[in-house]
Amino acid sequence: MAGTIKGGKAAATTNKTRYGSDFYAKIGAKGGKKGRTGGFFANRELAREAGRQGGRISRRTKKTV
């Protein structure tokens, strides 16, 4: 089953059972914290501008109350 969608789901279930339901969040956080050069870490203003542009061109529909 290795390399198939079914196998991937089985592996994910096993990882969550062994290491906790937040397994993937923890390994993602480790990777995000490890980087120290370039990108948004180095330039907070660039991150701010990218977020502004992304929010402006959002494809999400407007909520009506």
Side-chain angles (χ1 to χ4, degrees), residues 10-20 23-24:
T13 302
T14 302
N15 285 333
K16 290 176 185 178
T17 303
R18 285 185 185 171
Y19 306 112
F23 172 73
Y24 292 103

Side-chain angles (χ1 to χ4, degrees), residues 4 13 15 27-31 34 36 38-39 43 46 55 60 62 65:
T4 64
T13 302
N15 285 333
I27 62 173
K30 286 179 184 178
K34 196 168 181 74
R36 289 288 178 256
N43 190 345
L46 180 66
R60 193 178 294 182
K62 300 289 184 211
V65 178

Side-chain angles (χ1 to χ4, degrees), residues 10-58:
T13 302
T14 302
N15 285 333
K16 290 176 185 178
T17 303
R18 285 185 185 171
Y19 306 112
S21 60
D22 59 344
F23 172 73
Y24 292 103
K26 283 193 274 188
I27 62 173
K30 286 179 184 178
K33 290 176 184 172
K34 196 168 181 74
R36 289 288 178 256
T37 60
F40 291 151
F41 178 83
N43 190 345
R44 296 295 294 169
E45 186 57 35
L46 180 66
R48 185 176 181 275
E49 178 63 19
R52 186 186 71 78
Q53 288 178 3
R56 188 167 45 88
I57 61 170
S58 174

